Amino acid sequence: MLTGGLVSAIAARRRTLPGFGLTMGLTLTWLSVIILIPLAGLFLKSLELSPEQFWNILSSRRTLNALRVSFGLAFAAACVNLVMGSIIVWALVRYRFPGRRLFDAIVDVPFALPTAVAGVALTALFAEKGWLGAPLAALGIKVAFTPVGIFVAMIFIGIPFVVRTVQPVLQDLDPEIEEAAGSLGASRWQTIIRVILPSLAPALLTGLALAFARAVGEYGSVIFIAGNLPNVSEIAPLLIVIRLSEFRYADATAIAVVMLVVSFVIIFAVNRLQRWAQSRIPVR
Amino acid sequence: MTMQIAHSGPLISSDARARAREALTRDNLRTEPKAVRIAIITIAITFLTVFVVLPLVVVFTHAFSKGIAAYLAALAEPEALAAIKLTLLVAAISVGLNLVFGLVAAWAIAKFDFPGKTFLITLIDLPFSVSPVISGLVFVLLFGAQGYFGGWLRDHDIQILFAVPGIALATTFVTFPFVARALIPLMQEQGTQEEEAAISLGASGLQTFFRVTLPNIKWGVLYGVLLCNARAMGEFGAVSVVSGHIRGETNTMPLLVEILYNEYQFIAAFAIASLLAMLALITLIAKTVLERHLDEGEDASDH
């Protein structure tokens, strides 16, 4: 009965509103021209390489080190963002303090600030004579022009992803579940670990994945502070740029394909996570 | 508990105040000891100050470190003016293209049901997860001297790479999802009833779109354009790969920041950077205002 009504309603909608064919045609055409064909070109180009060539490029010391720096530091930075992002979300959603709205708005700065600006600003801040670099240097910690600098830039770029993914979920969390846990004798810590954390898990993992994906591919905010020493502080996107400038297109393509495949895996994982999250939204 | 109430001044919404009052009547079941609360707030504020506020402040202090005259002189350099002009041109092209695409795609996706809709949205989102450098690389592989269309372009004397078309293309690629992603959920929520009514009253498709749909989604359109524009003007990686860095010709503002910085012209580099930082701040303020409009629209449609 209900399904029958739904189907006829959909059919009626199809009939009444015009322009589906035209707008869908334009959408698919434009999507193909701007996104799909260029990306397909990259994969096609990589097919020109024999598996052996492909492997030789990827297993060269410099490539491996660049991939290790990018993926390793991006994962470490995403983990820091997961923890710090959770603390920030908790403070913004659960507590009232002066400047709360301002700090809430400020979380989006890494989204909005052009990456090159972030890059020069972080470098100036963490350079040996910078506001934060000087006291850190006194403690014997060198940040700018070392892998630590890359780590710092990746933390900067990733923080909004965790906050903006987790914040709405914590806001919508049913307060009665917590109260029930509390009145049944759970300690506050038990309630957070056993009740709240599982409800936030899909959002936390999504935030982690998005921050990681962004940091892996990040270029502008990293290259100024990185030092860009081959094998030590050279990120994979920079190595692509260097190979391009040397006209070693095969090398650039091979590295790019590996990074793209990882991006696609992350998109797939995030889609799965979101489906998981939707299937377990508590009914208010 | 008392701390929560003490700070809920006129800025806090009535909703929040009601929630706070409700919380008072209940037990301390949903909060932490005061020391923990203060520690969490301190950590959050410190982290955001170090990683987000200080970099912003550094940009402006460095830009003005030799005074306003030096700052303005740096911006009046022909190279700086050329970069500003090119940035505005490229942003206008890519925002324009993505605005039209966003409207068209949102109409097809939000107003009709068809199989594979989620997959199509995933494809539109792709540029968000592609490294900026790769977004530039794909166009080098297509249009570069060794690229698929490189020979044909050379024979016909068409310049795409290291020129405005290449920069605009790469920028359009990276900003592709913004407008469509702002509009699709909004238009899905609004449904098709108003449009169906207009059509049944004899309006044409275009009339319906411009008179019924567009007024309903105007804040969403503005929101998408705003974010699209911010990213278009600030894009660095993708543009860097396709621009060729020809001074005074193919350098956008972010690329000029890099060049000046690498030449130790710090005042000039941070002066340009400060313009981009201001763009980011204005974008964020406008975004906050627009989000309020969008929320109001949502509330209105709820009642």
Side-chain angles (χ1 to χ4, degrees), chain A residues 21-183:
Chain A
L22 178 72
T23 51
M24 188 48 110
L26 284 172
T27 302
L28 292 177
T29 311
W30 192 234
L31 179 73
S32 306
V33 169
I34 298 292
I35 309 293
L36 301 181
I37 294 174
L39 285 179
L42 177 69
F43 282 103
L44 216 62
K45 193 86 187 172
S46 74
L47 289 180
E48 288 173 13
L49 298 168
S50 71
E52 202 189 353
Q53 282 173 305
F54 197 82
W55 180 246
N56 284 341
I57 293 168
L58 288 183
S59 60
S60 82
R61 181 160 165 259
R62 191 165 170 189
T63 311
L64 276 182
N65 278 324
L67 290 170
R68 185 181 52 83
V69 167
S70 276
F71 284 102
L73 289 174
F75 185 69
C79 290
V80 171
N81 282 330
L82 182 70
V83 175
M84 295 314 294
S86 307
I87 291 175
I88 292 169
V89 168
W90 196 266
L92 290 177
V93 173
R94 288 299 174 89
Y95 304 145
R96 299 289 169 268
F97 55 93
R100 185 182 63 95
R101 289 179 152 232
L102 185 67
F103 279 104
D104 194 348
I106 274 173
V107 168
D108 280 330
V109 165
F111 270 152
L113 195 67
T115 55
V117 178
V120 294
L122 288 170
T123 312
L125 196 59
F126 285 97
E128 240 166 290
K129 286 182 181 157
W131 294 346
L132 295 175
L136 285 170
L139 295 171
I141 304 169
K142 208 166 169 289
V143 177
F145 317 122
T146 72
V148 185
I150 303 176
F151 180 57
V152 165
M154 285 175 168
I155 292 174
F156 168 85
I157 208 72
I159 196 67
F161 289 91
V162 175
V163 174
R164 291 304 182 229
T165 318
V166 180
Q167 196 176 20
V169 183
L170 184 63
Q171 260 159 359
D172 287 347
L173 203 66
D174 188 347
E176 282 178 18
I177 306 175
E178 271 171 71
E179 281 157 17
S183 56

Side-chain angles (χ1 to χ4, degrees), chain A residues 10 12-14 16-20 22-24 26-28 30-31 33-39 41-42 44-45 48 80-81 84 87-88 90-98 100-101 103-118 120-126 131-132 145 152 155-156 159 164 173 175-176 178-180 182-183 188 192 213-214 216-220 223-224 237-238 240-241 244 247 249 252-253 255-257 259-260 263-264 267 271, chain B residues 3-4 7-8 11-13 16 19 26 28-33 36-37 40-41 43-45 47-59 61-62 97-98 101 104-105 107-115 120 122-124 126-127 129-134 137-142 144-148 169 172-173 176 192 195-196 199 204-205 208 230-231 233-237 240-241 254 257-258 261-262 270 273 276-277 279-281 283-284 287-288 291-292:
Chain A
I10 290 168
R13 182 192 291 185
R14 276 223 175 113
T16 46
L17 282 190
F20 178 69
L22 178 72
T23 51
M24 188 48 110
L26 284 172
T27 302
L28 292 177
W30 192 234
L31 179 73
V33 169
I34 298 292
I35 309 293
L36 301 181
I37 294 174
L39 285 179
L42 177 69
L44 216 62
K45 193 86 187 172
E48 288 173 13
V80 171
N81 282 330
M84 295 314 294
I87 291 175
I88 292 169
W90 196 266
L92 290 177
V93 173
R94 288 299 174 89
Y95 304 145
R96 299 289 169 268
F97 55 93
R100 185 182 63 95
R101 289 179 152 232
F103 279 104
D104 194 348
I106 274 173
V107 168
D108 280 330
V109 165
F111 270 152
L113 195 67
T115 55
V117 178
V120 294
L122 288 170
T123 312
L125 196 59
F126 285 97
W131 294 346
L132 295 175
F145 317 122
V152 165
I155 292 174
F156 168 85
I159 196 67
R164 291 304 182 229
L173 203 66
E176 282 178 18
E178 271 171 71
E179 281 157 17
S183 56
R188 189 61 194 151
I192 289 174
R214 175 67 201 262
V216 163
E218 182 55 25
Y219 178 68
I223 55 159
F224 294 95
L238 178 67
I240 294 178
V241 172
L244 266 183
F247 302 105
Y249 287 166
T253 308
I255 303 167
V257 162
M259 297 189 67
L260 257 193
S263 306
F264 291 165
I267 297 172
N271 279 349
Chain B
M3 196 179 108
Q4 279 194 334
H7 292 295
S8 51
L11 267 178
I12 311 293
S13 68
R19 248 189 289 137
R26 293 173 179 179
N28 274 6
L29 291 176
R30 284 188 68 227
T31 193
E32 294 74 38
V36 177
R37 292 205 302 262
I40 288 179
I41 291 171
I43 294 172
I45 289 180
F47 182 85
L48 285 174
T49 305
V50 166
F51 278 92
V52 185
V53 178
L54 282 183
L56 268 181
V57 178
V58 155
V59 171
T61 33
H62 277 63
L97 288 174
N98 283 327
F101 167 78
V104 167
W107 180 267
I109 291 169
K111 299 290 181 189
F112 301 91
D113 286 309
F114 53 91
L120 181 59
T122 307
L123 289 182
I124 291 175
L126 269 186
S129 25
V130 174
S131 170
V133 166
I134 297 177
L137 170 70
V138 292
F139 293 106
V140 174
L141 294 179
L142 284 184
Q146 304 178 19
Y148 289 104
L169 255 174
T172 307
F173 182 104
F176 194 80
T192 54
E195 282 84 359
E196 278 162 13
I199 297 282
S204 74
T208 306
R231 181 68 197 267
M233 289 190 174
E235 178 52 30
F236 177 71
S240 170
V241 171
V257 170
E258 182 195 21
Y261 187 86
N262 287 340
F270 279 102
L276 290 166
L279 167 78
L281 290 177
T283 302
L284 281 186
K287 175 175 167 280
T288 315
E291 271 165 359
R292 214 165 294 161

Side-chain angles (χ1 to χ4, degrees), chain A residues 208-284:
Chain A
L208 179 82
L210 292 175
F212 174 69
R214 175 67 201 262
V216 163
E218 182 55 25
Y219 178 68
S221 58
V222 173
I223 55 159
F224 294 95
I225 200 170
N228 304 328
L229 206 64
N231 296 317
V232 177
S233 55
E234 184 176 71
I235 54 168
L238 178 67
L239 188 56
I240 294 178
V241 172
I242 291 172
R243 291 310 188 211
L244 266 183
S245 67
E246 296 167 344
F247 302 105
R248 290 168 67 172
Y249 287 166
D251 294 58
T253 308
I255 303 167
V257 162
V258 171
M259 297 189 67
L260 257 193
V261 168
V262 173
S263 306
F264 291 165
V265 170
I266 294 173
I267 297 172
F268 181 74
V270 166
N271 279 349
R272 272 298 156 90
L273 278 170
Q274 264 155 6
R275 212 168 300 164
W276 178 36
Q278 265 162 16
S279 68
R280 42 178 289 171
I281 288 174
V283 185
R284 284 190 91 156

